[in-house]
Amino acid sequence: MGTELPLFPVQASTMAGRVDALYLFLILVSVFFGVLIATLVVSFAIRFRRRSRDERPRPIHGSTALEIAWTLVPLGIVMVVFLWGADLFFAMARVPPASMDIYVVGKRWMWKTQHMTGQREINELHVPLGVPVKLTLTSEDVIHSFFVPAFRMKKDVVPGRYVTTWFQATRTGTYHLFCAEYCGTKHSGMIGTVTVMEPAAFQTWLAGGATGTSLAAAGEKLFQDLACITCHRADSEGRGPRLEGVFGHPVSLASGERVTADEAYIRESIVNPAAKVVAGFQPVMPTYQGLVSEESLMQLVAYIQSLGGPATAGPGAALASPAPAPASPAASRPKGQGR
Ligand code: CUA
C-alpha cells in the first residue's frame, strides 16, 4: 500500500506504507464493530422495549450456532491482526545484511550520531536514499526513544545496552526526529532532523565533513591510549584474546556457552569483562565502566569490527567508505554537521 493518508506524516521509508496499512486495518475493523454494536444496542432497545406493565418476554435458551459464530469470527479477525503484526514486526527487527552502520547515543538532552567514516552530528542525521541503514543505539543516562514519524520507526534507547533497528529511506527530504520517552525537563527539546539525500549528494556530504579519522581509526587510537593493546596482542602472546577476525563470529566462553561477537557483546566485554570470559583466559581484565564514554565505546566497537568479520562487506559498507574527493565539498556541505 503506497498511498498517502491525509493527516498522517509523509511516508518516507520502506516500512511506512506497511505500518499504515496495518494501522488503517485496525481502525476500519474497530469503526465497523463500534458502529455495528452501537446500532444494535439502540435498535434493540427500541424494538424490544417493554410495551405494557404486565408484559412477560419469552425466555431464550441459547443458540449454539450464534455462540460459535461470535467466537470464531473475532478469533479469525485477531489472528489476522496477529499474523500481520508479527510479519511486520520481524521485517522491522531483522536488519538486512548489507546495511550501512550508524551509531547513535542519546543523552539528556540531545542525540549524538556517528558515521563509520568519522563524521559526527548532534541532533541531525544525514542518510542516503535507498540504502538500508542499521542504527546501533544506546544512552548515556536514562531511557530515551528514537522516533522518526516519517519512517514509522521508534526504538527505545536504553542505558547500559545496545539496541539495533534499521530503516531504508524512500524519499529525499528533511524529517522530524523526536525523543518519545519522557526523560526530564527538556525532553520536549530533545528533537532534531533526519535528512535523506541522493546517494551522490550524500557522498559529497560525507567527504565534505571528513575529519580524516574514521570511527575505526578513532577506536584504534583509544585502543592504544587505554593500553588495551598490551593484552590484546595480534601475535596471540597477550593475556587477553586476539581480536583479529573475531567480530561477527561465534566465541567459546569459559562457561561452555557460545555467543556471537556482535556489537553488544564487545561493549559488554569492555564495561563488564567478567560477564563473558573467553575459554582459555583468566578474568584479569579490569572494568572500563565509567572510564569510557558511550561514544568512545562505539569507536572501540567499530575498531574491533574493522579487524575482520563478515559484517563489513556489502553496498552499505562501500557507501560508508571514504568517497573520491568531490568538486566542491564546501559548497554542498549542509550546515551544522560535524562535531
Ligand atoms: Cu530523551 Cu525524552
Side-chain angles (χ1 to χ4, degrees), residues 117 119 128 197-209 315-324 326 329 332:
T117 44
Q119 278 81 355
M197 309 169 86
E198 293 289 348
F202 178 72
Q203 287 295 3
T204 307
W205 177 86
L206 264 190
L319 251 172
S321 64
S332 54

Side-chain angles (χ1 to χ4, degrees), residues 109 111 143-145 179-184 187 190:
W109 286 275
W111 293 107
I143 300 179
H144 303 277
S145 187
C179 177
E181 182 69 47
Y182 182 68
C183 54
H187 156 71
M190 194 170 164

Side-chain angles (χ1 to χ4, degrees), residues 118-235:
Q119 278 81 355
R120 296 158 140 216
E121 306 182 67
I122 289 181
N123 291 338
E124 285 191 42
L125 176 60
H126 288 75
V127 293
L129 180 73
V131 174
V133 173
K134 175 187 174 188
L135 299 180
T136 302
L137 312 103
T138 193
S139 165
E140 288 217 359
D141 35 45
V142 298
I143 300 179
H144 303 277
S145 187
F146 192 89
F147 180 33
V148 183
F151 296 165
R152 308 294 188 273
M153 182 189 77
K154 187 194 280 178
K155 193 77 184 171
D156 278 11
V157 177
V158 184
R161 62 187 285 187
Y162 282 168
V163 294
T164 54
T165 189
W166 75 282
F167 62 86
Q168 180 172 336
T170 52
R171 66 158 80 181
T172 56
T174 298
Y175 306 105
H176 288 296
L177 161 65
F178 295 112
C179 177
E181 182 69 47
Y182 182 68
C183 54
T185 318
K186 291 183 191 152
H187 156 71
S188 62
M190 194 170 164
I191 54 177
T193 55
V194 178
T195 303
V196 179
M197 309 169 86
E198 293 289 348
F202 178 72
Q203 287 295 3
T204 307
W205 177 86
L206 264 190
T211 53
T213 312
S214 70
L215 209 56
E220 184 173 14
K221 184 170 184 308
L222 277 168
F223 197 77
Q224 286 159 0
D225 293 351
L226 294 166
C228 313
I229 196 160
T230 56
C231 292
H232 296 283
R233 288 163 52 169
D235 59 8

